[in-house]
Amino acid sequence: MHITLAPMEGVVDSLMRDMLTRIGGFDLCVTEFIRIVDQLLPKRVFYRTCPELHNNSMTPAGVPVKIQLLGQDPNWLAENAARAIELGSHGLDLNFGCPAKTVNKSRGGAILLKEPETLYQIVSEVRKAVPQGTILSAKMRLGFNDTSLAFENAQAIAAAGADLLVIHARTKLDGYKPPAYWNWIAEIKKVVDINIVANGEIWSAQDAVNCQIKSNCQDIMLGRGALALPNLAQIIKQGAAQMPWDEVRMLLVAYSGYEIFGDKGRYFPNRLKQWLGYLKLQYPQAGILFNEVRALKTANEIIPVLNKV
């Protein structure tokens, strides 16, 4: 089984990738998307989103990191894809699944699932632009408002030359509401000759097994489940026990150090509260801690609360 850490805009940045891959169980990470509009972006943009490029595009724990691009112009996406690979990204991923309204309004992300021909053009141009041997993947949902184009979209991506397809088993309209329709992935597998990774609603080892059975996929991608349970990948792969709360609390303390002494200190209070919002799905203590820090606005106020035994 191959487990990928999902790209999650505003959540899974390089600091979170570092922490989660140090715990173990992940085989690959995908960055938050880099938005491509009408230019070749300067190298600093790629390094900002993927500082792991300075480390052979690997996290400190040695897990490869792949850059994800989002946009609607095949030529500009192709040029930026070539740059990402030139800088050392471990393959290239294309985002056809982001449900954010602001992104969809500018013809990015899931809105393109209404246009199979555009998907084909984008993947085809990127395929031609990157060196032979580059693993090109795409991430899609089952559709925008419905699943009527699910097969056609997957076929367009495969026919255009992608090596790998990640399917989030919900439509844009579904958002993140359960359930994920894993059985749809199995149906899509029947009509495309491409490796597929299943994604959506995997919160436990049993969920992972159920997803594999219903999707007919061996490989999975973890997103929110890994934020709620930091060693979920280890639990799934190795049958590890759930990380005890004391260890999770120490992760939160370590995260405060990363954020404050890194380049994102001003984001720390909101990032921490966001993470606690996921952790409280698995740990009651996180809910208590969230209530204690909810009204606090600075790191200096929050860190003493984290350090309380």
Side-chain angles (χ1 to χ4, degrees):
M1 185 197 313
H2 188 279
I3 300 182
T4 302
L5 177 59
M8 296 180 67
E9 170 67 8
V11 183
V12 181
D13 58 6
S14 61
L15 307 177
M16 188 63 76
R17 292 193 292 269
D18 184 5
M19 296 196 75
L20 294 179
T21 57
R22 283 178 192 266
I23 294 168
F26 288 104
D27 301 290
L28 177 71
C29 300
V30 181
T31 68
E32 301 166 275
F33 65 76
I34 298 175
R35 181 79 169 97
I36 307 301
V37 182
D38 57 3
Q39 63 178 312
L40 176 60
L41 296 177
K43 294 179 182 179
R44 68 176 182 275
V45 175
F46 293 86
Y47 285 116
R48 185 170 64 236
T49 300
C50 186
E52 295 96 338
L53 290 171
H54 293 295
N55 185 42
N56 194 30
S57 201
M58 291 193 177
T59 68
V63 177
V65 182
K66 175 190 290 191
I67 287 175
Q68 184 184 79
L69 302 182
L70 178 148
Q72 75 281 353
D73 187 287
N75 295 315
W76 286 119
L77 282 164
E79 287 203 34
N80 283 278
R83 171 154 286 181
I85 299 303
E86 170 198 329
L87 294 176
S89 176
H90 282 273
L92 194 287
D93 190 62
L94 294 167
N95 182 322
F96 301 132
C98 179
K101 287 182 181 178
T102 52
V103 170
N104 293 166
K105 275 183 183 177
S106 54
R107 285 191 70 233
I111 194 75
L112 293 176
L113 297 174
K114 293 181 174 183
E115 307 175 26
E117 180 57 32
T118 303
L119 299 186
Y120 179 87
Q121 291 172 2
I122 289 172
V123 176
S124 180
E125 289 303 313
V126 172
R127 177 80 278 169
K128 287 185 281 189
V130 298
Q132 188 174 3
T134 299
I135 300 299
L136 175 58
S137 59
K139 188 177 185 199
M140 62 172 268
R141 285 174 173 255
L142 296 177
F144 194 76
N145 290 321
D146 56 47
T147 57
S148 59
L149 292 174
F151 295 139
E152 197 171 342
N153 286 327
Q155 288 169 326
I157 291 167
D163 302 291
L164 183 72
L165 178 59
V166 180
I167 302 178
H168 183 154
R170 283 182 275 231
T171 65
K172 185 270 181 191
L173 189 62
D174 293 329
Y176 294 96
K177 299 191 299 286
Y181 301 96
W182 298 322
N183 56 302
W184 259 98
I185 300 177
E187 295 304 310
I188 292 171
K189 280 196 73 174
K190 295 175 183 177
V191 301
V192 293
D193 184 17
I194 188 173
N195 293 325
I196 292 181
V197 176
N199 174 230
E201 286 301 301
I202 302 174
W203 299 91
S204 67
Q206 189 58 55
D207 286 340
V209 171
N210 293 342
C211 174
Q212 287 179 310
I213 293 169
K214 291 183 180 180
S215 69
N216 194 26
C217 287
Q218 181 70 11
D219 300 333
I220 60 174
M221 175 179 276
L222 302 179
R224 295 174 303 150
L227 293 170
L229 191 52
N231 70 327
L232 179 58
Q234 276 191 325
I235 292 170
I236 292 169
K237 266 191 177 176
Q238 301 156 15
Q242 176 171 318
M243 179 179 282
W245 170 247
D246 282 346
E247 289 184 27
V248 175
R249 190 177 60 80
M250 293 313 297
L251 278 182
L252 294 169
V253 173
Y255 187 59
S256 72
Y258 274 130
E259 285 281 9
I260 290 163
F261 299 110
D263 63 352
K264 297 193 175 182
R266 65 186 182 278
Y267 301 130
F268 169 69
N270 287 338
R271 289 281 178 122
L272 183 85
K273 292 170 192 175
Q274 187 179 42
W275 194 8
L276 285 170
Y278 288 108
L279 287 169
K280 66 184 183 180
L281 299 174
Q282 295 283 359
Y283 297 92
Q285 301 95 324
I288 296 168
L289 184 54
F290 178 83
N291 289 332
E292 290 182 24
V293 302
R294 178 187 298 181
L296 305 181
K297 292 182 170 59
T298 69
N300 288 338
E301 294 174 301
I302 291 171
I303 289 172
V305 179
L306 295 181
N307 279 308
K308 282 196 310 187
V309 178

